[in-house]
Structure formats: C-alpha cells, structure tokens
Amino acid sequence: MNADERSERLEQLFRQTFRRVMAYCLRRASEAAAHDAVAEVYAVAWRKRRQLPADDEEAVLWLLGIARRVLANQARSQRRWARLLMRVAERAEPDPPPAADPYGAEGAGDAGDGLAAALAQASDADRELLRLAYWDDLSRGDIATVLGISVGAVDTRLHRARQRLRQRLASANPHQDPAKEKDHAER
C-alpha cells in the first residue's frame, strides 16, 4: 500500500469510526476533554498510518488502543496540573478546599449512584477493564487487543475486577442478598 492509499484508507476509517471513538472517549472524560482526545487519537493515527491494520475491525481496536493511551496521558497531565495547583494553593492559603469527586460518588443515593461509587473506588485498571467489557461491549479478544495483553490475562483480570466490584457493592449495600446478586452477575 503506497502513501496515498494509506492516507485515503485512514480518511475512510475516520468517517466510519469517529462516532465510536468519540463515544469511547465521552464515557471516560468530560465532553471538552473527549473532543481533545479524539482529535489527538486521529493525529496519532495519521502519524502512525503505516502501522494501520488492513482489517477494519482490527483498525477500530487499534484506534481504541490509541484512545486509551491518549486518555491516560490526559489524566496524567490533569493530575500533574492539580498537584501544581495544590502546591500553589498551599503557599497562598493554609487550608485549601478538598477536590471534587470526578466520579460523582458523593451523595450516592440510588442504585446507579451505588455502582458509580463502587466504580470510583476501583483501581484505574479495574475501571477500564469493566468499561471495555460492559460499556463498550468488547469481546475478550478485542479487550486483549486494546490493552495489549493476552486473552488469558483478560479473563483473569476481568474475573478479579468483577469480584472486587461485587465486594464493594455488597459492603455499600449490606441488605442485598449476595446469592441473588451472584445469580444476576453470572447471567
């Protein structure tokens, strides 16, 4: 494939995948951050267009993998920025106000809020794995491709992430029947 064909292929892929990549980013970041991330995803894809997989589905997973790394870079930048602001604030005033919870776990009242609170307590790796499996509805093989790990590792990590999430949900709602919850999770 020559340079013009690769460029045309990437433009076609952009038209086919923009909504999916945008949805992936919107589920993980604010609207403004998602727009920035999507722009960066396609900029990275353009720079790496020689590595573009020939298969359409593999190309989508390749883009989601890029999106995952772009969002991780954004999160690291935001954490660095927040630490800098905290250092500046500590010098300016003795007691800086606490940072807001980005996952909205404060004031969890209904079942959706309980899940949001349990996910907010999960590690970044668990949260990402659960989102790929349940929000993005990717297969185990697709998750392995996006994360750059084996299918066996996906199985193990997903099993453990579900166990930890189940424990968090059970501890947040001790009146729920654990057997009923387990039956629902296995369906």
Side-chain angles (χ1 to χ4, degrees):
M1 190 181 284
N2 67 31
D4 289 336
E5 289 171 336
R6 277 193 300 269
S7 297
E8 188 176 315
R9 167 93 167 93
L10 188 60
E11 288 175 29
Q12 176 188 8
L13 187 64
F14 171 79
R15 287 189 295 274
Q16 293 172 345
T17 62
F18 177 80
R19 287 185 178 186
R20 186 164 181 192
V21 173
M22 177 60 81
Y24 177 90
C25 292
L26 282 170
R27 284 189 289 271
R28 289 159 177 80
S30 68
E31 186 174 352
H35 285 283
D36 290 344
V38 170
E40 183 64 18
V41 165
Y42 288 104
V44 169
W46 180 260
R47 288 191 300 266
K48 295 183 173 189
R49 64 188 177 274
R50 290 184 178 177
Q51 299 170 12
L52 178 64
D55 179 63
D56 282 350
E57 190 57 32
E58 285 293 316
V60 170
L61 297 175
W62 180 69
L63 288 171
L64 292 179
I66 292 172
R68 179 176 173 269
R69 290 183 289 281
V70 166
L71 290 168
N73 287 340
Q74 280 185 345
R76 278 191 294 276
S77 293
Q78 289 173 343
R79 285 191 301 270
R80 283 192 304 267
W81 180 251
R83 284 193 304 267
L84 175 64
L85 289 178
M86 291 302 286
R87 284 196 306 261
V88 169
E90 286 171 354
R91 291 182 182 163
E93 66 180 75
D95 295 316
D101 183 2
Y103 297 101
E106 291 183 54
D110 62 27
D113 288 341
L115 179 59
L119 282 172
Q121 294 170 357
S123 69
D124 290 340
D126 280 0
R127 230 182 352 261
E128 178 65 7
L129 191 60
L130 292 165
R131 284 177 175 162
L132 287 170
Y134 298 106
W135 275 272
D136 295 316
D137 200 26
L138 295 181
S139 70
R140 294 175 12 254
D142 292 348
I143 294 170
T145 301
V146 170
L147 297 179
I149 59 177
S150 71
V151 174
V154 169
D155 290 339
T156 302
R157 291 180 187 185
L158 190 55
H159 174 74
R160 291 177 182 165
R162 283 191 302 245
Q163 281 182 322
R164 288 187 286 265
L165 182 63
R166 198 174 295 125
Q167 289 170 350
R168 283 187 194 90
L169 288 170
S171 66
N173 190 2
H175 303 294
Q176 180 76 20
D177 181 11
K180 186 177 180 181
E181 188 175 300
K182 183 177 181 184
D183 290 341
H184 179 71
E186 290 175 354
R187 284 186 215 155

